[in-house]
């Protein structure tokens, strides 16, 4: 039953014209950043620290140029379509009149959104890594923010950690966006509310600035010797947002 729901959600997601359009635009941005990096050869860890792109640091720096698009365009649009667009169009009612448990359906929709972002991140990592190997200057070691110098294996592990933490942040964005999408009356307001919440988080607390500047924050966290960012901040936010999601999802009158 769960597998059938998951496949059905995947089919509905990839049949939407907006999904294909967003993925096509993102593919175009991958090509543009490739050209930009090839011509410029310089990127940034944050606004105050520039860095020369090389064969070992290209993958994290490649994501830095695209993280804003993922956070403020791709995820809010996908989530609004999945959690609100289907409700307002009536498609979700057709699913819920069948004997599906609401909690299962929520987790299926949430998991599909996470899978979409995972695919986007994997594609970005592959393109960024190929860029470094094929175009950028070959080096045996590179230095990341905080003076952390690593070799080939260290740079690979750094990239995995970098993309992994970014993925966890994007999952939190999905979870927050899904709450707002369920509460808002239409998908446009859902999209605007999600963006507003991400920007507004900066004014709530400086510790939440990672929602606005994802990769810059991750570079800074990885420059610390004993960062507890995931355990002390990100995972609690993710857990709380999922609990709120389940509460709102169960209380919402979907078919009335």
């Amino acid at each position: 039953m769960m597998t059938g729901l998951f496949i059905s959600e995947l089919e509905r997601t990839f049949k939407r014209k907006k999904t294909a359009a967003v993925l096509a635009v993102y593919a175009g941005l991958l090509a543009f950043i490739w050209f930009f990096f090839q011509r410029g050869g310089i990127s940034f860890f944050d606004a105050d620290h520039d860095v020369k792109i090389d064969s070992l640091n290209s993958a994290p720096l490649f994501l830095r140029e695209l993280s804003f698009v993922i956070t403020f365009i791709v995820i809010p649009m996908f989530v609004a379509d999945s959690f609100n667009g289907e409700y307002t169009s009536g498609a979700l009612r057709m699913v819920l009149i069948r004997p599906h448990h609401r909690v299962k359906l929520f987790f299926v929709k949430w998991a599909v959104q996470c899978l979409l972002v995972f695919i986007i991140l994997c594609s970005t990592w592959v393109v960024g890594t190929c860029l470094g190997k094929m175009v950028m200057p070959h080096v045996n070691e590179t230095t990341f923010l905080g003076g952390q110098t690593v070799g080939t294996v260290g740079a690979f592990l750094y990239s995995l950690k970098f993309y992994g933490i970014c993925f966890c942040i994007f999952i939190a964005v999905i979870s927050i966006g899904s709450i707002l999408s369920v509460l808002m009356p239409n998908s446009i307001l859902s999209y605007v509310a999600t963006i507003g919440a991400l920007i507004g988080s900066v004014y709530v607390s400086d510790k939440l600035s990672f929602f606005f500047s994802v990769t810059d924050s991750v570079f800074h966290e990885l420059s610390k010797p004993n960062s507890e960012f995931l355990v002390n901040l990100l995972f609690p936010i993710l857990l709380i947002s999922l609990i709120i999601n389940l509460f709102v999802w169960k209380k919402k009158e979907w078919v009335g």
Side-chain angles (χ1 to χ4, degrees):
M1 179 69 73
M2 197 76 167
T3 303
L5 275 174
F6 187 81
I7 294 174
S8 176
E9 179 65 22
L10 273 178
E11 290 176 346
R12 293 200 305 276
T13 297
F14 282 100
K15 282 181 180 178
R16 298 185 196 118
K17 293 181 179 179
K18 193 176 294 184
T19 301
V22 170
L23 292 177
V25 170
Y26 190 81
L29 288 173
L30 288 175
F32 175 78
I33 299 301
W34 178 294
F35 176 77
F36 175 77
F37 272 20
Q38 184 178 355
R39 294 294 297 271
I42 299 291
S43 187
F44 301 86
F45 291 128
D46 59 23
D48 300 319
H49 300 87
D50 60 355
V51 57
K52 291 184 178 181
I53 309 168
D54 58 46
S55 59
L56 298 182
N57 66 13
S58 58
L61 294 172
F62 202 82
L63 179 58
R64 183 185 186 273
E65 303 301 323
L66 291 161
S67 62
F68 188 88
V69 174
I70 298 173
T71 307
F72 289 95
I73 298 177
V74 175
I75 293 177
M77 193 170 291
F78 282 165
V79 171
D81 263 6
S82 178
F83 286 89
N84 186 285
E86 285 193 349
Y87 167 59
T88 54
S89 68
L92 192 57
R93 294 182 181 88
M94 298 302 295
V95 178
L96 285 169
I97 60 175
R98 298 168 185 169
H100 299 311
H101 197 285
R102 288 188 177 193
V103 172
K104 287 184 179 180
L105 183 57
F106 164 75
F107 276 114
V108 163
K109 296 178 78 64
W110 181 81
V112 167
Q113 297 304 306
C114 292
L115 177 61
L116 278 174
V117 173
F118 181 77
I119 292 172
I120 288 172
L121 285 181
C122 286
S123 302
T124 305
W125 181 83
V126 168
V127 174
T129 301
C130 290
L131 169 73
K133 300 299 183 184
M134 296 170 60
V135 179
M136 293 297 112
H138 178 77
V139 296
N140 293 320
E141 61 180 26
T142 191
T143 302
F144 289 103
L145 186 66
Q148 185 179 172
T149 300
V150 295
T152 303
V153 175
F156 175 74
L157 294 176
Y158 184 97
S159 293
L160 287 184
K161 288 189 290 185
F162 184 87
Y163 273 76
I165 296 175
C166 287
F167 181 54
C168 291
I169 295 175
F170 291 143
I171 291 176
V173 174
I174 291 171
S175 301
I176 293 171
S178 62
I179 296 172
L180 297 171
S181 294
V182 171
L183 296 175
M184 293 294 107
N186 59 62
S187 56
I188 295 177
L189 287 178
S190 300
Y191 179 81
V192 172
T194 301
I195 293 176
L198 296 175
I199 296 175
S201 65
V202 178
Y203 299 96
V204 173
S205 172
D206 291 340
K207 292 182 178 180
L208 299 178
S209 62
F210 63 86
F211 281 126
F212 185 77
S213 54
V214 176
T215 51
D216 289 21
S217 299
V218 176
F219 276 127
H220 278 276
E221 289 302 321
L222 289 178
S223 70
K224 301 175 182 177
N226 297 303
S227 174
E228 296 182 348
F229 166 73
L230 286 175
V231 176
N232 292 341
L233 187 60
L234 186 55
F235 286 165
I237 290 175
L238 181 57
L239 179 61
I240 292 171
S241 63
L242 284 175
I243 292 172
I244 296 173
N245 259 306
L246 292 175
F247 176 80
V248 173
W249 186 265
K250 292 173 72 173
K251 293 296 181 180
K252 179 77 173 182
E253 184 54 59
W254 297 104
V255 294

